[in-house]
Amino acid sequence: MDLSEWRARIDAVDQQLVDLLNQRMQYVLEIGRLKRQHGRPVQDRERERLILERLTSYNQGPLSTQAIEDLFNRIMQEARKLEEGQTQ
């Protein structure tokens, strides 16, 4: 395979990642609605810790454990922003 074919594969995966991240954030919006209904805080540090633990133990590389933690910490940061900014 040549460079352009590899890049086309990366482009396709990138689009899938965007779709999956937006799907995850749709779920976050629903969770935020449920949290508000039950008077629960947006951030659940224990849940976030468990997510990172599960994902880093699942990771088989080549991404490092630190890279997985950094990526998902950012994803969870954006999720909290969505939950906090949603009005209803």
Side-chain angles (χ1 to χ4, degrees), residues 11-12 15 21 23 26 30 38 41-42 59 66 68 73 78 85:
D11 291 346
Q15 287 176 310
L21 286 168
Q23 181 181 3
Q26 287 296 326
E30 182 61 24
H38 297 282
V42 167
N59 180 39
Q66 187 63 55
I68 295 295
N73 273 319
E78 292 302 318

Side-chain angles (χ1 to χ4, degrees), residues 1 6-7 11 16 19 22 26 28-29 33 37 42 44 47 49 51 54 68 70 75-76 78 82 84-85 87:
M1 224 183 311
W6 283 111
R7 286 181 173 167
D11 291 346
Q16 291 173 346
D19 290 342
N22 280 311
Q26 287 296 326
V28 162
L29 291 172
R33 186 185 67 76
Q37 282 180 350
V42 167
D44 182 343
R47 169 72 176 148
R49 185 190 67 76
I51 289 169
R54 178 177 50 82
I68 295 295
D70 291 347
I75 289 168
M76 290 185 288
E78 292 302 318
L82 274 178
E84 290 167 352
T87 59

Side-chain angles (χ1 to χ4, degrees), residues 2-88:
D2 69 8
L3 184 60
S4 65
E5 291 170 313
W6 283 111
R7 286 181 173 167
R9 284 184 173 199
I10 288 173
D11 291 346
V13 169
D14 288 347
Q15 287 176 310
Q16 291 173 346
L17 287 170
V18 169
D19 290 342
L20 289 170
L21 286 168
N22 280 311
Q23 181 181 3
R24 187 186 197 283
M25 294 306 167
Q26 287 296 326
Y27 299 160
V28 162
L29 291 172
E30 182 61 24
I31 287 169
R33 186 185 67 76
L34 292 169
K35 284 179 179 178
R36 280 191 307 285
Q37 282 180 350
H38 297 282
R40 295 179 63 180
V42 167
Q43 189 167 22
D44 182 343
R45 291 185 194 276
E46 179 62 13
R47 169 72 176 148
E48 291 178 12
R49 185 190 67 76
L50 291 171
I51 289 169
L52 292 175
E53 186 178 288
R54 178 177 50 82
L55 293 173
T56 56
S57 67
Y58 174 77
N59 180 39
Q60 298 299 306
L63 281 174
S64 68
T65 296
Q66 187 63 55
I68 295 295
E69 288 180 1
D70 291 347
L71 288 166
F72 277 89
N73 273 319
R74 181 56 194 263
I75 289 168
M76 290 185 288
Q77 178 185 19
E78 292 302 318
R80 284 190 303 274
K81 285 181 187 178
L82 274 178
E83 283 188 54
E84 290 167 352
Q86 187 182 31
T87 59
Q88 209 174 19

